[in-house]
Amino acid sequence: MPDTALSARAEKTSRRLPRWATSFGPQIVLGLVVGVVVGLVARAMPDAADGNENWLVGTVHTLGSSYVKLLTVAVIPLIFTAIVSSIANLREVTNAARLAVQTLLWFAFTAFVAVIVGLVVGLIVEPGARTDVSTSAEKAPGTTGSWWAFLTGLVPNNFLGLNVKTTLAEGAATTTLSFNVLQLLVVAVAVGIAALKVGDKAAPFLEINASLLAIVQKVLWWIIRLAPIGTAALIANAVATYGWDAIGSLGWFTAAVYIGLAVVFFGVYPILLRMHGLSVRSFYSGVWPATQLGFVSRSSIGTLPLTERITERNLGVPREYAAFAVPLGSTTKMDGCAAIYPAVAAIFVAEFYGVPLGITDYLLIVIVAVVGSAATAGTTGATVMLTLTLSTLGLPLAGVGLLLAVEPIVDMGRTAVNVTGQALVPTIVAKREGILDRERYDADRRGEPFADEDAAVAAA
């Protein structure tokens, strides 16, 4: 089909439909609004006659969890093919090693700033001294973090880092599969480097890998087009299940966490962007779809496909670099879960149990936040990161159970900040190295993240 015909068809379609109907960001916002309304309705409805949740709560829960599963399923082939492809293309990038070092340094620096913010907010608010929660809420954590977990987590269990777990309940066996992103990164990097070393003999493999990557991205585009529906279902399930009743006596703790998240999101990140001559508005308009999806899904891994795509398409980070930095950030770059939250929570637990903290303790919190994300990369989760912090300080691990009531509520904000930071660092590093596409970064935000690839297929 000639280009003029395609342009005419696109122009005709754009005249027929309003912007909100063709732009991804407004569709996500609409999904949030609809989700809140549906969640409130579901929460007001009575439970089923058998005592189980009503049909509307069950429906939004099923839709939301199914959408996160769809995104997560696409993570394995996306990470593997994208990283192998990016390493193969590193021959065209003269400063690949410098990019990797700068990425890790900026991960550490932003984590350092975030944990300082968390400590300051925690010391000002004093959430542990203002709580009415009782010790009956204590519950020892089932999984704890350790510094040794980072090294053991690097060793793949199998080619794709898959873990199989079988549980017995009421005479029935249930088997679940999970994967370790850190191990998958190690495998993909090893395969990519090996392909480079092999040379011409690996050319057919790299061509097949590039084809698989294109197919995976097409499937992802179909999945991400469902994001408004998934967003509506996820936020509806959160409102219907938790509402604000769970906050209760932990209101000051919840407020302290969200204040810290807001300072980093609305203060620290914009300052860093301005320091590098980047438009704050362009960054947030570009990253917003991933931030929103991270907020409602509470999963950096589930949001990873969209985060990587908007980092490349909206923010102008080269694909070769984004395919490396964003997956790495999804496991080791967690300003919300690994810096702000553990800092505030450690102060809460210390105040609750009447344990005084000194300068050395605060320094330990900073150290754990800066390098501890890697130690929890194999197991992930803010709870695991918190247990690592508490055990390092010698505070009671049972204090983790005090905060479980508000875990889902604070996790939404934590994940939104995590995802935003995972896109911020590659953008800053790309700008510092002179490889950021400023025209793409400052471009108008319209359409869907994979719309350009769809147009390319149609043109072909």
Side-chain angles (χ1 to χ4, degrees):
M1 183 181 294
D3 292 342
T4 53
L6 282 174
S7 301
R9 186 176 66 179
E11 183 179 356
K12 181 179 180 181
T13 302
S14 63
R15 287 199 304 264
R16 182 183 306 149
L17 298 174
R19 179 175 177 179
W20 65 265
T22 59
S23 186
F24 190 73
Q27 290 174 353
I28 293 290
V29 173
L30 180 62
L32 283 169
V33 174
V34 172
V36 171
V37 173
V38 173
L40 292 173
V41 172
R43 189 171 181 80
M45 292 175 61
D47 292 336
D50 56 2
N52 294 324
E53 59 190 14
N54 62 65
W55 67 269
L56 187 54
V57 174
T59 300
V60 295
H61 173 74
T62 301
L63 288 175
S65 60
S66 297
Y67 184 70
V68 173
K69 288 178 182 178
L70 283 176
L71 286 171
T72 306
V73 164
V75 167
I76 295 179
L78 173 67
I79 291 180
F80 184 84
T81 56
I83 289 182
V84 170
S85 180
S86 66
I87 291 178
N89 293 330
L90 285 180
R91 290 171 294 188
E92 305 172 6
V93 181
T94 58
N95 58 346
R98 180 180 172 87
L99 283 173
V101 172
Q102 286 234 19
T103 301
L104 294 174
L105 289 176
W106 275 97
F107 281 176
F109 175 74
T110 51
F112 172 78
V113 176
V115 72
I116 294 298
V117 170
L119 288 174
V120 172
V121 171
L123 291 173
I124 293 175
V125 176
E126 297 183 340
R130 304 187 181 191
T131 181
D132 296 327
V133 68
S134 65
T135 54
S136 61
E138 292 180 359
K139 181 180 179 181
T143 305
T144 59
S146 69
W147 295 101
W148 189 246
F150 172 60
L151 294 178
T152 58
L154 285 173
V155 181
N157 296 322
N158 47 63
F159 183 70
L160 293 177
L162 290 172
N163 298 313
V164 180
K165 181 179 180 181
T166 302
T167 56
L168 293 174
E170 299 179 356
T174 302
T175 301
T176 57
L177 291 175
S178 61
F179 62 93
N180 186 308
V181 176
L182 187 63
Q183 294 178 5
L184 184 59
L185 282 168
V186 172
V187 172
V189 169
V191 172
I193 294 176
L196 281 182
K197 295 295 183 181
V198 169
D200 293 339
K201 292 183 179 180
F205 166 75
L206 293 177
E207 290 179 1
I208 293 175
N209 181 80
S211 298
L212 287 174
L213 176 59
I215 293 172
V216 170
Q217 288 178 328
K218 172 57 64 177
V219 174
L220 277 173
W221 180 71
W222 294 338
I223 296 174
I224 290 174
R225 287 192 67 177
L226 300 174
I229 299 175
T231 297
L234 287 165
I235 196 67
N237 180 63
V239 172
T241 304
Y242 307 110
W244 294 105
D245 297 342
I247 294 180
S249 57
L250 291 171
W252 282 106
F253 171 77
T254 305
V257 172
Y258 268 92
I259 290 172
L261 295 172
V263 170
V264 171
F265 189 85
F266 295 108
V268 175
Y269 289 170
I271 290 175
L272 292 176
L273 290 167
R274 284 296 187 187
M275 287 174 58
H276 290 86
L278 295 173
S279 167
V280 175
R281 180 178 181 181
S282 295
F283 174 78
Y284 280 105
S285 64
V287 79
W288 195 242
T291 302
Q292 291 173 317
L293 185 57
F295 181 83
V296 297
S297 69
R298 297 169 47 205
S299 172
S300 293
I301 298 299
T303 313
L304 189 154
L306 181 58
T307 307
E308 181 179 325
R309 184 54 178 158
I310 62 96
T311 301
E312 173 198 336
R313 182 182 187 268
N314 289 0
L315 302 180
V317 177
R319 173 174 295 187
E320 297 80 13
Y321 173 48
F324 162 78
V326 177
L328 179 63
S330 68
T331 60
T332 60
K333 169 63 179 166
M334 298 180 286
D335 289 342
C337 291
I340 299 171
Y341 176 75
V344 176
I347 292 175
F348 171 89
V349 173
E351 291 175 344
F352 182 84
Y353 287 101
V355 179
L357 297 178
I359 297 298
T360 303
D361 297 309
Y362 295 127
L363 289 176
L364 284 175
I365 293 175
V366 173
I367 293 172
V368 172
V370 173
V371 299
S373 296
T376 60
T379 50
T380 66
T383 300
V384 176
M385 185 64 190
L386 177 56
T387 62
L388 179 63
T389 305
L390 296 182
S391 60
T392 302
L393 297 175
L395 294 172
L397 291 180
V400 176
L402 299 171
L403 308 175
L404 293 179
V406 294
E407 171 64 19
I409 295 173
V410 297
D411 192 31
M412 298 173 78
R414 289 186 321 224
T415 308
V417 172
N418 291 345
V419 169
T420 305
Q422 290 157 14
L424 174 79
V425 168
T427 303
I428 289 177
V429 173
K431 173 60 170 59
R432 292 174 63 89
E433 294 299 312
I435 59 175
L436 186 70
D437 187 342
R438 288 302 298 271
E439 182 178 353
R440 188 179 284 265
Y441 180 89
D442 295 320
D444 184 31
R445 311 299 184 200
R446 290 174 184 263
E448 291 145 2
F450 289 81
D452 52 347
E453 292 183 358
D454 188 56
V457 172

